[in-house]
Amino acid sequence: MLKWIFEVKPGKSKKIHSLCIVTIPTTILILLYLLIYPESYLKYGPQYTKQFAYYLAFIQFLYLIAYFGYWKENKWGIYLYIAALVLSILVRNYSFGISINAKDTAWHVFVIVYGFIYMSNNIENKL
């Protein structure tokens, strides 16, 4: 099992593989934390309700699926990641009234650009 996880398949990007080896377990931990302790955001302000935590958990679930697409270097992984980011921004702004700033989206922009750069060789062949 460890060989399957850590072995980079021929023709695949080692950088994309390394990114996913780090982000998939981290995303799972964040998802579990949000589901187990939804009240943890209440201390940040009245707009951060349990509903907000469940919304974040759903978005993390979408990111998790997108990371698996990244790992397999399928272009649907990038598109799902972009869709999850847009959904996240829209719902945060319109449903919860929480403004988005550059530091909130910096990681997401990095992941999207990183994916387009390192998957550019294989992206037109995958779906």
Side-chain angles (χ1 to χ4, degrees):
M1 174 122 171
L2 289 175
K3 182 180 177 186
W4 178 78
I5 291 173
F6 292 107
E7 180 182 337
V8 179
K9 306 281 189 262
K12 300 290 184 175
S13 170
K14 185 173 183 162
K15 294 178 183 204
I16 292 290
H17 187 85
S18 300
L19 175 76
C20 292
I21 290 295
V22 173
T23 55
I24 289 174
T26 305
T27 304
I28 291 170
L29 289 175
I30 292 169
L31 179 64
L32 290 173
Y33 179 79
L34 289 167
L35 292 174
I36 295 170
Y37 302 107
E39 66 280 349
S40 63
Y41 280 89
L42 294 175
K43 62 184 173 187
Y44 295 114
Q47 71 271 33
Y48 297 97
T49 62
K50 281 187 180 183
Q51 183 183 7
F52 178 74
Y54 293 135
Y55 152 75
L56 284 179
F58 175 72
I59 295 297
Q60 289 299 318
F61 180 71
L62 290 178
Y63 287 142
L64 181 64
I65 294 170
Y67 282 133
F68 280 111
Y70 258 69
W71 197 2
K72 296 293 185 181
E73 294 189 22
N74 293 320
K75 69 179 175 181
W76 63 262
I78 290 176
Y79 296 142
L80 180 60
Y81 197 92
I82 293 169
L85 177 60
V86 169
L87 178 67
S88 173
I89 290 170
L90 289 175
V91 172
R92 285 179 73 179
N93 279 337
Y94 294 112
S95 296
F96 294 101
I98 300 168
S99 63
I100 304 296
N101 56 33
K103 75 175 178 102
D104 291 336
T105 57
W107 170 254
H108 302 296
V109 171
F110 167 76
V111 170
I112 292 167
V113 170
Y114 195 80
F116 277 120
I117 290 171
Y118 289 108
M119 284 190 217
S120 64
N121 296 335
N122 298 328
I123 199 152
E124 62 273 351
N125 301 329
K126 305 277 182 167
L127 182 61

